[in-house]
């Protein structure tokens, strides 16, 4: 079987068009029918010459993360690319300009850093660019063409991807690009080629099961909002969530929905909850600093039992932190941020398809359980591209409101009536005979302020218990175990975007013969205790890798299910290294075997 | 309404009916305010205005913050949202954006509005959200038992200003005018008929209407904004005041020692709903219109 | 030995002067030299006829909470007082008006509810009041005089306390009061008296060890702030914290300090941190809703390493909740509320003396560890009166800043230099040659924005590790074990004001022969892991009682030290019932004995 | 400064020295702004003003929020606090309350000021905190790559207003005037000498001074607030403008299409420090003065 799994990294400085060629490459591969995962890293400044890396993994079947090693590294700037040479696998290719503009001092040229088992591919990028376009600016496109040529990839998909990307530019630019691409392609097609890296056929079966698209996590959120029939959106710009609002600003009005850019995040969540009170499916999107501002209002949503959906794409913290770096450190805030006992629903998808599903389901849950629902993403997930397969039929309920039976008309309306499932029938403004006032004060079933001991105890119970039903909410995976079934030496428990790296590490560990298995937890509040308990019971050792310093998820889990676990906490601002996880698995497995042998 | 002298049977009957209409806006909860608090006449004013304008209870949403003033929604038989201290306007904006058909009133005290809520007023005003904002301006924090507020006068001794307030007070009317509010007025709890009339006008205005209601806190302010002081200070806006003239309105608003009652300024300009509808039609003209309209409204209408 | 321990409860409706007589009683007892703990419960409305109860416990030696049972109940309104009859102990006294204004329907008069072992003391309060003052309004003072008379308490202290309380009122009122008191006193002094309840001599020894005062938790905070030399205070009113600002508004300017009432809590914490940056000892005070608004700025305090002190007096939550009820449910928010890994110091005193000490030490710690310090109180602690003994010498360091050595002048100033203890020498604006910019962005040692993986990992470590020294901060008890030493069947772990009830329950359990012991934890972040671990190791069963629904402290502790514990979570809005705790101790002790017997 | 034609040796030398003085206010970090951004001339203006006024670096505290504008403190060799989005003024107020001796400048963008920071401006202004607030008003969110701001003009197409901005912009000058700011002015990044002069005046003012600096974002606004458009629109305040006349200032401020540069309004009134000192002396007159003065100042002075 010809299973395609090739990762290409383009590395250069901000002016080199590095991100641009990465983008064309992934779009071309998606057009060719491959599955794609792609993530770019670039400097925070708007201007400057910082390092950019675009990594694209191309596979025939679904992958879960970038690979720890790339198969191909394309250097557009040797100074930036040299540190990344070690990330190229054995028999992988390093492509570089073998005729740069100035002679480089020894050690400054990448060719001197390529390792014995790696294959050097020198190409006069600048020269070729100057020859065919009259300028050096198209070096990146030459290199792209070269990659396509070396691996015999179909030209058409690249042409189409470039056309799409540069559709607004002039015809001259289009011609320049295609000339540069061709020059590179030709050079690549004629070069000697080892067969360690090959692209097999894309798997066409996928096309049958739904709508195949390449999108980012934020793009998937937008699509989920639209598919779930969101009516209103209120937001305030903040990296890495801004693109959700920007895309919705274009799309939502086309469907008659409304979007308002508010004066701040407090206003955004307040308006979202106001709209939710008025019966609208409403959402906002932010990052940690904005979420911090929202927590008082979220408490009102909890107390007044009003639906709202909050997308929070995490970045490096605390405070303004690292706006263009990824981290998973807003979990404490999302779950515990609120005065009083203010439990709500918190979910974190682990991949792009999950982002779409969580987004859509969040509206159902908010409405059904009358509560704020926070969907936690992070910069890595928000910005990374994946090809996803969406079902052809919209799986989201158009309306999940528990309405007040008409026969109750004329009776005193108990907005907060105690019921078996803790959810009280709800009326919305404009509805005949359902007038009531909701409040952030503790209240009785009519919604009138009431601070008697029994009332507060019962209402607290109601607010907490009604959320448990979310653990069985239809159509969404709350938690899932992967890998070996039954008892294992090492169990890896993970959440959010890091779960891709966890799976990757687990598969590698399995290949090494380690007895292990991984579980992802999508619903973080309320926590799915029972599946986690069952998993714990099967695991001799438990590893919890996450991108934060305090072990926030480990805190959550061990508070609910006290047991010793091993925490792997890293805060590099970039995705977790698969090797780091793998090392821990190996270490724990060795320990487990040793203690079993005692 | 000074018609008690006239013995006409029919008119009395009519008034009774009208009065009944008004009472239907009252909830079963009696106001928990201190006897004599200026706020009572504001409840009267609002129910009178709603009745006069014939707005159905079910179509009214009253949003408030936290404070004595903000207890308001509990006393009315409409939809109500008693929110957080200072968040009245954004919650009200969300409600209005979700459903144009509702009559939305925002209510709060001077602290709720101009201290903790100050960030939101400029934006509700400039966007011309079609709602009425009533600020019960008693120049003090009532609910928390008498601290200085942003509209407390200089020299006022309160529990947080034991050596007398030294911070220059804000001028709500000038602020609202500078924000571009499309209707700005002032009334006084001690003149309930005029107050009711102004509430009616504010509600009838299409766009963002701001009504500052001077109101004594009889419990925690025995010296500054009392009935007897206000009775001496207030005046009506001059007869020839031109409510289309922003600069004239500003000039009147600067005379804080002798607060004028009436409509300072009004103008017609597109509301937030107009703006959003413009956006929708621009968006749709670029693309074939698609299905999912405002289901919130559909839901409400559907039952 | 004549160990005094008498608890008197006054119960009436809002117009009856219930709280007022309770106040006079406790002040008189404090004047007499007794130790006093007192806490009032009253309705949230400014006006109305809701129930008021003033409870005062009078002891010779330090007590830790109110007792679960009162020795004396004085009814000023039978409707309200009847439900409290069962709280009177056997051989306790119930004092009531035996000649009320209207004949009451059967069952509406309290005399019908007094239990066999309780002693009824009927007194014509209204009649006496009318006789000697010409009106019924002084019924409460008559009843107070009666209590004093029955138990033979010294008249002078009552006269002095009334004078103090009514000093601003007219001479007529003073005369009226003393006439009413006398009438009651006489009636009491002549009544037949059982000796089950007696007041012994107050313990005069206490006077020698320091300054004995009666104060509330909030009063103690104010005193702590002043003793620690606080320079500036910024606050926004909110129940139950407002009285801190109100008192400081009077006192701080007398010492040249400055207080500003800000426009909101965000501004209050921002100005506090601004002042802290400028070298001022600065604080703010709030409750849960305000703390929720502050968490974004607290994160900046963490990241920029600026000192600040935040007092948070908790009330019932979530949201606006129950402003006049007590709860311990802002712990999650205090410890975990912040974007990113934003650890800071969080302390919770357990009694009034502790409130004073934590307040003062908070300024030392904030300055020394360059961090926000949150001191958590709650309505019960903020408002309850205790007699406390303060040392005569101010125990607080006047300055705890780690300054930059003068010899470093002229060198590039590394504001965030890595040091052994994680604390970097600090300069403040106005200081020669120490110019630097602090930021909420991740930064290098110079304070310049920097988001490289190694920098963020090292800085995260620095920010967390420097706080560990707070666990050994001099002059304050971070955690403490009470009761039996060594292994026990039941260990009770507690925090905050509830610890008084825990101790009370533990002493009762010990009297029943149960093997138990209690530990209070004052420092909640960073958590004193080692003492807790040692305690856990000694306890067969661990009970964690707290006034919140989610078991917030139990979550914190078990996340750090995974083990099974029993949670006792109640949210009545009033102090935890000693009986509830005792029941759990008994249950656990029985279980422990059974399992030990297996 | 247009004196390059004059060949007087001494004068050039003097200028050089002066220029050197100015440079001592610059830090080693070069501004990270886009080439051509209007903000560069504001750095020049501030260093010039500090130099002219002879304020020691150690006595300057520059407080900013978040945004391109708010990167400012990193580029100066003074004390600096790069705070949070919108919290510039309260942090700056805290600094000033802690130490009267500092020269405090607050700096932020139009979003930082009038969107997320809007709650705080009225209170810093009414309290007359003795500081200078510079708002770099480019009518857009620069740092987050080009979204609509509260001062974006109607019809502006941005990434969050793809169908053109429909929200009426705020009028910062009218707002500040209505808040009672004691010094209100406007400058333009394209007129650096006038800008430097106004910064100097604002810094010299005792009390709260607000300077609105019109500044193009060359990267994200190619259509509205460009140099070429602004060059055509701006004018100087009329020669006979009376900066003591609030109504005249208001009237000028309403003419948004032709923004006037200069000092709109100034007045002398007690600052927050004055108010706090009044309180202290009242408090002390009631009680024998006690020890613990402002140790922060003592500390700073002590080393
Ligand atoms: C976030 C927050 N901060 C503070 C409070 C406490 N609080 C409640 S009402 C109020 C002020 C009330 O004054 P105002 O708005 O003038 O209303 P009034 O009571 O005078 O009608 C305050 C400070 C709160 N509930 N929430
Ligand atoms: C609480 C919070 N919300 C949002 C952001 C994201 N953010 C950073 S700067 C900015 C706006 C910048 O615009 P402006 O204040 O006009 O400054 P400019 O960049 O134009 O100079 C935003 C929205 C943030 N850092 N913090
Ligand atoms: S405290 Fe003042 S504002 Fe509040 S109800 Fe009483 S009189 Fe009215
Ligand atoms: S993005 Fe705009 S405001 Fe920011 S530095 Fe560039 S030109 Fe200036
Ligand atoms: Mg008020
Ligand atoms: Mg801007």
């Amino acid at each position: 079987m010809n299973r395609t799994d090739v990762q290409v990294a383009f590395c250069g400085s901000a002016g080199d068009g590095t991100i641009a060629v990465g983008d064309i490459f992934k779009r071309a591969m998606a057009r060719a029918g491959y599955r794609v995962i792609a993530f770019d890293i670039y400097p925070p400044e708007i201007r400057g010459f910082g390092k950019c890396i675009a990594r694209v993994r191309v596979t025939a079947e679904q992958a879960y993360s970038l690979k720890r090693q790339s198969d191909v590294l394309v250097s557009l700037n040797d100074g930036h690319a040299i540190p990344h040479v070690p990330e190229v696998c054995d028999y992988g290719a390093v492509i570089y300009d073998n005729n740069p503009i100035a002679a480089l001092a020894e050690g400054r040229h990448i060719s001197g850093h390529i390792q014995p088992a790696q294959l050097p591919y020198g190409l006069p990028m600048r020269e070729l660019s100057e020859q065919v376009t009259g300028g050096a600016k198209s070096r990146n496109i030459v290199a792209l063409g070269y990659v396509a040529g070396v691996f015999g990839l179909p030209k058409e998909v690249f042409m189409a991807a470039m056309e799409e990307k540069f559709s607004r530019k002039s015809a001259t630019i289009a011609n320049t690009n295609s000339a540069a691409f061709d020059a590179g392609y030709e050079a690549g097609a004629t070069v000697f080629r080892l067969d360690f890296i090959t692209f097999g056929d894309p798997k066409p079966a996928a096309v049958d099961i739904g709508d195949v698209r390449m999108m980012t996590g934020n793009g998937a959120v937008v699509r989920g909002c639209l598919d779930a029939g969101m009516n209103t959106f209120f937001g305030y710009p903040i990296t890495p969530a801004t693109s959700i609002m920007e895309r919705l600003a274009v799309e939502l009005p086309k469907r008659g929905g409304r979007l308002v850019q508010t004066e701040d995040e407090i206003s955004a969540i307040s308006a979202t909850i106001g709209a939710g009170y008025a019966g609208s499916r409403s959402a906002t999107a932010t990052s940690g600093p904005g979420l911090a501002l929202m927590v008082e209002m979220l408490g009102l949503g909890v107390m007044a039992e009003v639906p709202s959906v909050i997308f929070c794409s995490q970045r490096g913290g605390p405070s303004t932190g690292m706006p263009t770096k990824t981290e998973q450190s807003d979990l404490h805030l999302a779950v515990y941020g609120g005065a009083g006992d203010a439990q709500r629903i918190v979910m974190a998808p682990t991949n792009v398809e999950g982002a779409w599903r969580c987004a859509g389901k969040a509206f159902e849950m908010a409405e059904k359980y009358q509560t704020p629902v926070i969907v936690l993403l992070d910069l890595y997930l928000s910005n990374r591209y994946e090809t996803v397969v969406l079902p052809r039929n919209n799986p989201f309920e158009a309306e999940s409101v528990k309405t007040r039976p008409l026969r109750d008309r004329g009776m005193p309306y108990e907005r907060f009536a105690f019921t078996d499932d803790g959810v009280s029938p709800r009326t919305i403004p404009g509805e005949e005979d359902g007038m009531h006032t909701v409040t952030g004060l503790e209240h009785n079933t009519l919604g009138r302020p009431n601070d008697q001991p029994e009332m507060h105890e019962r209402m607290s119970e109601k607010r907490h218990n009604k959320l448990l039903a979310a653990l069985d909410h239809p159509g969404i995976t709350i938690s899932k175990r992967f890998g070996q079934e039954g008892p294992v030496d090492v169990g890896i428990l993970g959440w959010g975007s890091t779960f891709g790296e966890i799976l990757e590490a687990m598969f590698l560990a399995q290949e090494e013969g380690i007895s292990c298995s991984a579980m992802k937890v999508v619903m973080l509040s309320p926590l799915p205790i029972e599946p986690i308990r069952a998993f714990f019971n099967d695991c001799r050792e438990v590893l919890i890798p996450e991108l934060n310093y305090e072990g926030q998820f480990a805190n959550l889990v061990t508070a609910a299910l006290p047991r010793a676990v091993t925490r792997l906490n890293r805060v590099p601002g970039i995705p977790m290294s698969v090797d780091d996880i793998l090392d821990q698995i190996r270490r724990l497995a060795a320990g487990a075997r040793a203690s079993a042998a005692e | 309404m000074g018609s008690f002298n006239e013995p006409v049977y029919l008119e009395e009957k009519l008034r009774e009916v009208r009065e009944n209409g008004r009472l239907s806006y009252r909830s079963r909860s009696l106001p928990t305010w201190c006897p004599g608090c200026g706020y009572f006449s504001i409840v009267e004013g609002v129910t009178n205005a709603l009745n006069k304008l014939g707005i159905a209870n079910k179509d009214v949403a009253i949003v408030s913050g936290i404070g004595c003033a903000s207890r308001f929604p509990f006393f009315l038989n409409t939809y109500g949202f008693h929110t957080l201290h200072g968040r009245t306007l954004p919650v009200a904006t969300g409600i209005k954006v979700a459903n144009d058909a509702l009559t939305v009133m925002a209510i709060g005290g001077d602290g709720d509005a101009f201290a903790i809520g100050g960030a939101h007023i400029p934006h509700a005003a400039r966007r011309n959200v079609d709602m009425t904002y009533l600020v019960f301006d008693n120049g003090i924090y009532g609910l928390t038992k008498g601290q200085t507020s942003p509209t407390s006068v200089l020299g006022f001794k309160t529990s947080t200003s034991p050596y007398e307030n030294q911070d220059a007070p804000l001028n709500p009317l000038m602020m609202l005018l500078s924000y571009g509010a499309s209707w700005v007025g002032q009334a006084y709890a001690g003149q309930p008929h005029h107050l009711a009339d102004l509430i009616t006008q504010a509600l009838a205005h299409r766009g963002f209407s701001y009504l500052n209601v001077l109101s004594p806190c009889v419990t925690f302010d025995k010296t500054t904004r009392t009935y007897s002081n206000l009775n001496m200070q207030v005046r009506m806006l001059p007869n020839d005041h031109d409510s289309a003239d922003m600069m004239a309105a500003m000039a009147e608003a600067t005379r804080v020692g002798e607060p004028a009652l009436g409509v300072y300024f009004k103008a017609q300009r597109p509301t937030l709903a107009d703006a959003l509808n413009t956006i929708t039609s621009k968006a749709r003209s670029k693309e074939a219109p698609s299905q999912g309209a405002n289901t919130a409204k559909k839901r409400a209408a559907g039952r």
Side-chain angles (χ1 to χ4, degrees), chain A, chain B:
Chain A
M1 214 203 74
N2 193 344
R3 191 172 158 271
T4 304
D5 189 353
V6 179
Q7 181 165 307
V8 181
F10 298 88
C11 182
S13 82
D16 292 331
T18 319
I19 305 297
V21 281
D23 193 46
I24 299 167
F25 182 72
K26 69 174 173 267
R27 288 178 190 280
M29 292 297 90
R31 278 179 182 269
Y34 294 105
R35 295 297 190 88
V36 161
I37 293 186
F39 182 61
D40 304 333
I41 293 176
Y42 41 83
E45 294 81 28
I46 290 173
R47 297 283 145 157
F49 297 96
K51 174 163 71 182
C52 299
I53 313 181
R55 291 193 183 86
V56 184
R57 179 178 182 180
V58 182
T59 55
E61 294 176 73
Q62 201 193 331
Y64 301 97
S65 72
L66 289 174
K67 294 197 286 186
R68 58 189 176 139
Q69 294 209 297
S70 293
D71 300 284
V72 181
L73 170 67
V74 180
S75 165
L76 296 173
N77 175 312
D78 287 2
H80 286 319
I82 287 170
H84 293 278
V85 170
E87 98 178 30
V88 179
C89 63
D90 284 357
Y91 309 108
V94 179
I95 300 174
Y96 57 91
D97 197 333
N98 59 6
N99 197 1
I101 192 137
L104 289 173
E106 199 176 340
R108 306 294 295 279
H109 194 278
I110 197 167
S111 57
H113 296 264
I114 295 173
Q115 292 162 13
Q118 295 170 342
L119 306 181
Y121 285 79
L123 166 77
M125 299 176 188
R126 184 188 49 82
E127 240 175 53
L128 278 176
S129 171
E130 283 173 354
Q131 275 169 24
V132 299
T133 73
K137 267 198 93 177
S138 300
R139 285 165 61 233
N140 60 338
I141 308 284
V142 171
L144 178 72
Y146 187 74
V147 171
V150 167
F151 298 105
L153 296 166
K155 236 179 183 175
E156 324 80 68
V157 292
F158 285 89
M159 289 302 156
M162 286 200 284
E163 209 161 278
E164 180 191 8
K165 185 159 182 91
F166 299 116
S167 63
R168 297 218 185 135
K169 305 274 162 121
S170 67
T172 343
I173 291 182
N175 291 340
T176 308
N177 282 333
S178 90
F181 185 87
D182 285 346
Y185 196 91
E186 219 163 291
T190 52
V191 93
F192 167 79
R193 180 153 74 90
L194 276 171
D195 271 346
F196 293 106
I197 307 162
T198 54
F199 284 77
D201 275 345
K203 197 180 176 188
V207 182
D208 278 295
I209 55 168
D211 189 5
V212 183
R213 299 215 175 195
M214 186 175 66
M215 49 174 75
T216 61
N218 279 0
V221 163
V222 167
R223 170 86 190 244
C225 289
L226 298 173
D227 286 352
M230 180 179 74
N231 310 109
T232 52
F233 183 93
F234 303 88
Y236 189 76
I238 187 166
T239 309
T242 311
S243 62
I244 296 174
M245 174 160 59
E246 288 175 336
R247 188 91 209 116
L248 282 170
V250 175
E251 295 302 329
L252 194 57
K254 290 185 190 164
R255 302 165 195 238
R258 290 171 160 192
L259 178 143
V260 177
Q261 180 182 329
T262 55
E263 58 273 20
D264 62 13
E265 289 87 350
I266 297 181
S267 179
I269 182 65
S270 301
T272 302
I273 286 180
Y277 174 69
S280 173
R281 283 198 166 171
S282 191
T284 183
T286 189
S287 185
L291 188 65
L293 287 169
M294 291 182 180
V295 296
E296 193 204 7
M297 186 49 73
L298 284 175
L300 177 64
V302 170
M303 192 60 141
E305 304 199 36
V306 175
S308 62
V309 172
I310 301 93
F311 299 100
C312 175
S313 178
Q314 303 162 93
R315 59 194 216 181
S319 195
T320 314
M322 310 194 298
T324 59
K325 299 283 159 169
T326 200
E327 202 159 284
Q328 301 181 281
S329 57
D330 297 338
L331 179 60
H332 274 158
L333 180 65
V335 173
Y336 289 135
D341 295 293
Q343 209 193 0
R344 55 255 175 160
I345 293 176
V346 180
M347 288 189 284
T350 60
N351 55 25
V352 172
E353 190 269 348
W356 167 76
R357 192 169 291 272
C358 282
K361 288 287 166 184
F363 291 94
E364 285 182 11
M365 292 185 192
E367 219 167 71
K368 187 155 182 179
Y369 311 115
Q370 304 180 5
T371 183
V373 177
I374 299 175
V375 179
L376 276 181
L377 306 115
D378 56 42
L379 183 137
Y380 176 35
L381 180 52
S382 280
N383 290 355
R384 89 178 181 214
Y385 277 88
E386 290 182 32
T387 35
V388 297
V389 185
L390 304 182
R392 285 203 209 292
N393 293 327
N394 185 336
F396 304 122
E397 244 178 58
E399 189 174 320
S400 320
V401 183
K402 185 169 187 175
T403 58
R404 184 167 176 240
L406 281 179
R407 64 180 145 71
D408 287 354
R409 282 269 181 89
M411 320 236 292
Y413 172 41
E414 294 189 291
R415 167 66 188 91
F416 299 99
F418 294 113
T419 59
D420 286 348
D421 59 4
V423 178
S424 317
R426 183 171 161 234
T427 64
I428 63 172
E431 195 167 330
E432 199 71 66
D433 198 29
M435 281 84 72
H436 65 277
T437 291
V438 299
T439 171
L441 290 167
E442 188 56 287
H443 44 262
N444 63 16
T445 56
L446 292 164
R448 303 278 150 186
N450 182 311
D451 64 5
Q452 291 308 299
E454 311 70 40
M455 191 57 72
H456 186 45
E457 299 219 311
R458 282 196 73 183
M459 282 291 174
S460 297
E461 194 181 26
K462 170 189 198 291
R463 284 189 292 269
H464 283 80
N465 284 354
K466 70 174 181 179
L467 300 185
L468 294 176
L471 293 172
D472 300 314
H473 194 88
I476 183 164
T477 304
I478 290 313
S479 64
K480 188 173 173 189
R481 180 169 170 177
F482 294 77
Q484 196 177 323
E485 290 297 310
V488 289
D489 281 348
V490 183
I492 313 134
L493 193 69
W495 70 286
S497 68
T498 297
F499 195 71
E501 280 69 32
I502 291 175
L503 270 187
E504 201 67 27
M506 185 206 67
F507 288 134
L508 292 170
Q510 279 190 330
E511 282 173 23
E512 295 180 10
I514 293 175
S515 150
C516 62
S517 145
M519 177 178 242
K520 74 171 176 183
V521 182
V522 172
M523 180 78 77
L524 303 169
S525 168
L527 210 57
I529 307 276
E530 289 318 319
I532 302 176
R533 191 199 308 279
F535 181 65
F536 276 8
N537 288 342
D538 272 351
C539 302
R540 207 182 275 268
E541 299 283 346
V542 170
L543 175 68
I544 306 189
E546 43 184 332
L547 287 174
N548 58 55
Y549 190 86
E550 295 172 350
Q552 302 192 355
F553 179 57
N555 285 344
L556 220 66
V557 170
T558 51
L561 285 169
R563 81 158 273 171
V565 300
T566 300
R567 295 160 178 236
L568 174 58
N569 302 327
R570 295 296 313 274
V571 286
I574 52 175
M576 190 169 289
S577 133
V578 171
D579 281 337
D580 280 3
I581 305 172
L582 187 56
D583 281 350
Q584 291 298 320
I585 298 175
R586 287 194 192 116
R587 205 178 55 77
L588 291 175
R593 276 192 299 263
S595 75
E598 266 166 23
Chain B
M1 290 212 174
S3 60
F4 277 94
N5 303 329
E6 297 172 38
V8 185
Y9 177 76
L10 186 66
E11 230 183 86
E12 271 187 36
K13 204 68 201 159
L14 275 175
R15 184 165 61 244
E16 199 185 309
V17 172
R18 251 189 274 123
E19 291 277 322
N20 279 345
R22 188 174 70 67
L23 285 179
S24 83
Y25 293 98
R26 289 288 296 273
S27 77
R28 286 180 206 176
S29 305
L30 288 180
T32 46
W33 295 313
C34 311
C37 177
Y39 295 173
F40 288 97
S41 57
I42 314 182
V43 174
E44 300 298 293
V46 168
T47 53
N48 265 315
L50 289 173
N51 195 40
K52 197 169 215 165
L53 296 170
I55 303 171
N57 304 49
K58 74 171 179 59
D59 293 329
V60 179
I62 302 189
V63 184
S64 67
I66 300 291
C68 292
S70 295
R71 287 266 163 159
F72 198 91
F74 292 112
F75 314 136
L76 259 69
N77 180 29
T78 64
Y79 284 90
F81 201 156
H82 179 242
T83 69
L84 297 180
H85 196 32
R87 308 309 163 199
T88 322
L89 292 179
V91 174
T93 300
I95 293 175
K96 189 71 189 179
V97 168
N99 189 348
D100 290 335
L102 298 173
T103 295
V104 177
M105 299 184 70
I107 281 171
D110 40 317
D112 199 70
F114 296 105
I116 195 167
H120 309 301
I121 311 177
H123 301 275
R126 77 183 176 101
R127 292 197 174 108
N128 206 21
V129 187
D130 185 15
M131 61 161 96
T132 296
Y133 187 25
L134 299 186
V135 171
F136 298 8
D137 183 4
N138 58 4
I140 199 163
Y141 288 0
L143 189 72
T144 46
K145 308 199 170 173
Q147 297 80 22
T148 310
S149 104
T151 62
S152 294
V153 295
L154 280 169
F156 188 17
K157 210 176 215 169
T158 75
S159 66
T160 47
S161 301
Y163 305 111
E164 297 180 354
N165 176 34
Q166 307 290 330
D167 292 336
L170 288 174
N171 185 320
L173 296 170
M174 285 184 77
M175 288 166 70
L176 268 290
L177 290 168
S178 80
Y179 298 157
S182 62
W183 193 103
V184 177
Q186 181 159 265
Y188 167 37
Q191 298 197 8
H193 298 314
H194 180 258
L195 167 63
D197 179 41
L198 254 66
I199 296 174
T200 313
Q201 289 188 47
L203 278 170
H205 174 72
R206 188 174 182 280
F208 185 79
S209 48
Y210 174 80
L211 184 64
N212 203 67
V213 186
L214 300 170
S215 181
C217 171
V218 297
T219 301
F220 295 110
D221 177 4
K222 315 277 191 199
T223 56
T224 71
R225 199 167 298 192
T226 59
Y227 283 109
S228 57
N229 284 347
L230 281 172
N231 285 341
M232 287 188 313
Q233 292 161 359
V234 297
R235 61 187 168 102
M236 285 292 150
L237 277 173
N239 276 336
D240 61 353
H241 176 72
D242 175 4
S243 63
D245 181 346
M246 159 75 79
M247 282 300 130
M250 278 282 183
E252 286 293 343
T254 57
R255 296 170 59 189
V256 287
E258 30 179 15
L261 310 182
V263 182
Y264 281 66
F265 181 74
K266 62 178 185 230
Q268 282 300 333
R269 59 183 184 86
T271 64
L272 175 59
D274 295 337
L276 293 170
N277 291 340
T278 302
I279 286 170
T280 306
S281 51
K282 284 189 179 214
R284 285 190 159 154
S285 73
K286 294 207 178 181
E287 192 137 321
S290 93
Q291 67 298 351
N294 196 322
T295 58
K297 261 179 287 171
K298 274 195 293 185
R299 272 175 226 148
R303 291 190 249 135

